[in-house]
Amino acid sequence: QVQLVESGGGSVQAGGSLRLSCAASIDIRSGYCMGWFRQAPGKEREGVALIYRSGAYVDSVKGRFTVSRDNAKNTLYLQMNTLGPEDTAIYYCAARAGLCGGWSPGQYNYWGQGTQVTVSS
């Protein structure tokens, strides 16, 4: 049973920063693609950042968000800088065995419970 537990969400003003963490029960060195997704009210869940050996980002967060992993701690991170109201969403950690297949949430088998990020203008 793979468990993913997110933390680090909260409320910030526009221009601020947050760092999300995702503690995984799996050995994330063992060939898992890890990712961050988000879902804003009334919108579909979308991919934000993925990492296998290196990070990949959706255009809307490039240059502002950085995904990283601490394999020794089995923890995934998302450093979010220069946040704007458009980043307000529930952020989810996800994982799938093997290479990162793409941005579709349906390709990811394992999900955390989500953490709320709220950015006020």
Side-chain angles (χ1 to χ4, degrees), residues 63-84:
R64 301 188 298 123
F65 290 12
T66 304
V67 62
S68 61
R69 56 202 294 174
D70 185 333
N71 291 337
K73 296 182 177 180
N74 285 333
T75 301
L76 180 73
Y77 300 100
L78 184 67
Q79 178 66 43
M80 305 185 294
N81 298 328
T82 319
L83 286 161

Side-chain angles (χ1 to χ4, degrees), residues 40-97:
K43 294 188 176 181
E44 294 185 351
R45 193 170 298 188
E46 64 171 353
V48 174
L50 304 174
I51 185 167
Y52 188 73
R53 292 190 179 92
S54 59
Y57 303 91
V58 68
D59 285 346
S60 61
V61 307
K62 282 180 180 177
R64 301 188 298 123
F65 290 12
T66 304
V67 62
S68 61
R69 56 202 294 174
D70 185 333
N71 291 337
K73 296 182 177 180
N74 285 333
T75 301
L76 180 73
Y77 300 100
L78 184 67
Q79 178 66 43
M80 305 185 294
N81 298 328
T82 319
L83 286 161
E86 67 278 9
D87 298 312
T88 294
I90 299 174
Y91 283 71
Y92 297 90
C93 175
R96 59 167 276 164

Side-chain angles (χ1 to χ4, degrees), residues 37-38 44-47 94-95 102-111:
F37 291 74
R38 67 185 180 186
E44 294 185 351
R45 193 170 298 188
E46 64 171 353
W103 297 102
S104 172
Q107 298 184 39
Y108 293 80
N109 311 96
Y110 309 109
W111 292 88

Side-chain angles (χ1 to χ4, degrees), residues 20-49:
L20 306 182
S21 299
C22 172
S25 65
I26 52 176
D27 181 352
I28 64 174
R29 295 170 295 180
S30 302
Y32 282 88
C33 172
M34 307 291 295
W36 289 99
F37 291 74
R38 67 185 180 186
Q39 189 165 17
K43 294 188 176 181
E44 294 185 351
R45 193 170 298 188
E46 64 171 353
V48 174

